[in-house]
Amino acid sequence: GKYAMVDKDTCIACGACADTAPDIFEYDDEGLSQVLLDDNQGIAEISDDLEDDLLDAEEGCPTESIKVSDQPFKTAVETY
Ligand code: F3S
């Protein structure tokens, strides 16, 4: 499984990703994309049957705002 998040600093709300992968991406109030599975935290493992859609969306984003990793983008809450 992969993990994904959208860099909202570079997303230009082009709309391609949720067209390509509507089960993964949605738009916020400003039309910027986010991963709907985990509020764009990058911590929800994306199921294998969505992986092709995810990689297509990653490739299709004109600003390379879709980040994909084999690891969660955040680890569990750190305690001090
Ligand atoms: Fe934004 Fe790229 Fe999607 S610009 S709306 S993350 S295709």
Side-chain angles (χ1 to χ4, degrees):
K2 303 267 188 198
Y3 299 83
M5 61 184 296
V6 176
D7 184 345
K8 293 197 183 200
D9 290 337
T10 57
C11 171
I12 55 170
C14 85
C17 51
D19 265 6
T20 305
D23 294 325
I24 303 172
F25 300 101
E26 64 180 1
Y27 301 115
D28 69 12
D29 295 342
E30 296 172 7
L32 300 177
S33 177
Q34 59 193 12
V35 174
L36 61 85
L37 305 168
D38 58 9
D39 279 335
N40 209 42
Q41 303 280 299
I43 55 175
E45 188 171 355
I46 293 170
S47 61
D48 290 343
D49 51 335
L50 290 177
E51 191 166 317
D52 284 348
D53 283 356
L54 173 64
L55 297 179
D56 284 350
E58 179 191 22
E59 272 180 31
C61 176
T63 58
E64 296 179 3
S65 298
I66 297 173
K67 310 301 180 190
V68 177
S69 172
D70 292 330
Q71 305 291 330
F73 283 85
K74 285 182 191 162
T75 49
V77 177
E78 293 179 51
T79 51
Y80 294 101

